Amino acid sequence: MRRGQDPVLVEVSARSRRGAPQQMPGDIATSALARRVNAARILAKLRERPPERAEMSSGDLVDATGMSRPTVHAAAHHLVELGWVRETTDRVDGRLSGRGRPSRVFSFVANAGHVLGIDIGAHSVRVAVADLRGVFVAEARIAFGDPSVGPEQRITQVRKLAVEVVRTAGLGDEQVLAVCVGTSGPVDADGVVQQRTGIPGFLGVDLRAALARDFSAQVYVENDCNLALIGERWRGRAGASQDVVCLLAGERLGVGMCTGGTLVRGQANSARDLGFLSLMGDYSRDDGIARAVRRRGASLVAEVAARDTPPLPGTPGAELSALTGGDPRRVSASDVFEAVRRGDLDAAGALEEGLETAARAIATLTMLLAPELVVITGAVAAAGDVLLPPLRRRLTELVPRVPRVEASPLREQAVVTGAVRLALDTAETDFLDPLAPAPTA
């Protein structure tokens, strides 16, 4: 190999003494392949840069890749033509490059395409649009006025919100490279919900076909618990963990599992089924932490209201009664959490009772999978300061070896964050990896 040639990445071809190219058995790449491999390396280096330091000079890329300057320029020029890279001169990270020939400076065009993540729940839908670095550029949430609304009306509202958020981001349909939708229950490879879910009427619904009416991009449908786990491993508590259980624990109880860094799906993508809880007495797979705590809190307030005299300040049950005006119908899980923070002993008892189903689910999964980390996610994660201590105590009574238990920083955005991540993976596979032209090229 002559000095100055790039190892492995050079165009490999054998030539006769007359200079005519001839195919040899030892050839490992064509010029087209070499160009694509070189461009892919340049693109990978540019995509690794954080947004605040997005630019790299030719010299930076030479140092980072080990390729020659002409090869870097040729590969970068190809990426510029495809629309994935932007070229400027004389400026690196906002600074003048100095004396001499102006530097050629390149940066990844993160807004050359976007992805859409959707989280459909029984009570609300959350939508987020992100650029190709995963930066959210527009998001919105709406609550369903009637949680028992039929599937047609629910999907109509989801579609309307998704289209509105894309337009709010200033995008056209062609700029959305992939869509990922999260919903409860097992979902087959065609995007059809296969078993009973927490969303009325969603059994047998083809979500992929429903969302494909508005978007030409590939639509991917995934279970919401799996997406919550993906979100946690991307931007939450589980980034450094290979063996993780992620408990989506709001109104219902669901779980995403990862062993050895691989998502556990099981047959028919149904490995998250917590139906075994029904074999353990008075426990329901649908009884999430928020729902269980709210019900027990309402019972407590009703008991206090039935007494002959109202509770004195500082006595058990007084804080929760005060927070809800003594009306059991007004009790929320957040009220119970706040009453515990204020030292209400009866509220603390209601919380411990409400955690029992979750504790038994975690204990069973711990004995089966031995995770290093359990993440509590969903809106209840905001109350980690009060729910984690009693949950950990209960686990020490149930299993000999308690995993680390943490509350998610993503909270109610865990599912939509995972949906964005999975949509990014799809966009990378369909557009960036094969170096297809960007929509804005």
Side-chain angles (χ1 to χ4, degrees):
M1 181 177 292
R2 297 188 303 275
R3 181 172 296 180
Q5 286 184 310
D6 297 317
V8 179
L9 301 179
V10 296
E11 174 186 344
V12 179
S13 63
R15 293 180 179 273
S16 68
R17 292 186 178 183
R18 295 182 179 179
Q22 59 182 9
Q23 190 68 31
M24 298 292 290
D27 288 354
I28 60 172
T30 64
S31 59
L33 175 60
R35 181 172 62 250
R36 186 169 68 84
V37 171
N38 293 340
R41 287 195 72 189
I42 295 295
L43 183 59
K45 293 299 179 183
L46 292 173
R47 289 178 61 203
E48 290 172 0
R49 304 282 286 189
E52 64 273 12
R53 296 193 303 113
E55 298 172 328
M56 295 183 75
S57 69
S58 302
D60 293 333
L61 289 169
V62 168
D63 293 340
T65 63
M67 296 189 295
S68 67
R69 190 176 295 271
T71 302
V72 165
H73 285 167
H77 178 69
H78 181 52
L79 292 169
V80 171
E81 289 184 326
L82 291 174
W84 300 118
V85 167
R86 179 181 296 111
E87 179 182 354
T88 55
T89 57
D90 257 348
R91 228 167 249 287
V92 180
D93 295 335
R95 297 177 285 102
L96 288 174
S97 61
R99 297 179 298 173
R101 175 186 292 183
S103 294
R104 298 180 67 179
V105 180
F106 304 95
S107 58
F108 175 55
V109 185
N111 62 357
H114 293 76
V115 298
L116 178 65
I118 303 173
D119 170 20
I120 305 176
H123 297 270
S124 66
V125 57
R126 189 180 300 271
V127 177
V129 175
D131 67 17
L132 296 178
R133 290 190 188 276
V135 177
F136 286 20
V137 298
E139 54 186 312
R141 173 189 176 275
I142 60 169
F144 297 113
D146 178 9
S148 63
V149 62
E152 295 83 4
Q153 293 173 284
R154 189 182 301 271
I155 290 174
T156 296
Q157 294 184 56
V158 170
R159 291 175 56 199
K160 180 179 178 182
L161 182 64
V163 170
E164 287 178 353
V165 172
V166 170
R167 289 176 179 170
T168 299
L171 305 175
D173 170 64
E174 73 284 353
Q175 293 170 281
V176 179
L177 306 187
V179 180
C180 181
V181 185
T183 186
S184 61
V187 180
D188 69 13
D190 295 323
V192 178
V193 181
Q194 291 297 300
Q195 294 182 23
R196 182 179 65 88
T197 77
I199 304 177
F202 255 37
L203 178 61
V205 170
D206 189 339
L207 289 175
R208 176 177 294 170
L211 273 297
R213 302 174 195 172
D214 303 299
F215 300 99
S216 57
Q218 180 176 345
V219 178
Y220 194 94
V221 185
E222 179 59 277
N223 171 264
D224 55 359
C225 298
N226 284 347
L227 291 178
L229 175 59
I230 291 170
E232 291 298 332
R233 299 200 71 211
W234 183 34
R235 288 182 170 170
R237 283 280 184 259
S241 300
Q242 296 294 305
D243 299 284
V244 185
V245 165
C246 181
L247 206 66
L248 194 59
E251 289 299 300
R252 60 183 184 85
L253 205 59
V255 62
M257 298 170 288
C258 176
T259 61
T262 301
L263 188 68
V264 177
R265 294 186 178 277
Q267 184 180 4
N269 198 22
S270 59
R272 295 153 314 283
D273 194 336
L274 297 180
F276 61 79
L277 291 170
S278 63
L279 305 176
M280 299 180 182
D282 188 22
Y283 301 103
S284 168
R285 60 174 289 185
D286 292 328
D287 206 5
I289 292 175
R291 179 188 294 177
V293 168
R294 182 177 66 249
R295 287 176 174 174
R296 284 157 177 77
S299 297
L300 173 59
V301 170
E303 292 173 7
V304 172
R307 297 172 186 169
D308 294 334
T309 58
L312 296 175
T315 60
E319 291 293 344
L320 184 57
S321 293
L323 286 168
T324 59
D327 185 351
R329 296 169 298 179
R330 291 175 52 186
V331 176
S332 67
S334 297
D335 292 326
V336 178
F337 298 145
E338 181 58 30
V340 174
R341 292 188 182 98
R342 297 183 184 185
D344 191 322
L345 295 180
D346 277 1
L351 172 59
E352 291 186 7
E353 293 176 9
L355 291 173
E356 184 64 19
T357 299
R360 288 175 178 258
I362 294 172
T364 303
L365 293 170
T366 295
M367 289 185 281
L368 291 172
L369 301 175
E372 59 181 299
L373 171 66
V374 174
V375 181
I376 307 299
T377 192
V380 295
D385 58 321
V386 295
L387 68 83
L388 289 184
L391 180 59
R392 290 169 179 150
R393 286 196 301 270
R394 181 59 177 137
L395 287 174
T396 62
E397 299 170 354
L398 294 173
V399 292
R401 185 175 180 179
V402 179
R404 183 161 54 96
V405 183
E406 302 289 347
S408 167
L410 300 178
R411 300 178 180 178
E412 64 273 10
Q413 286 196 312
V415 175
V416 77
T417 299
V420 166
R421 179 63 265 174
L422 204 55
L424 283 171
D425 292 343
T426 302
E428 290 169 7
T429 299
D430 292 347
F431 290 88
L432 295 178
D433 291 347
L435 296 181
T440 54

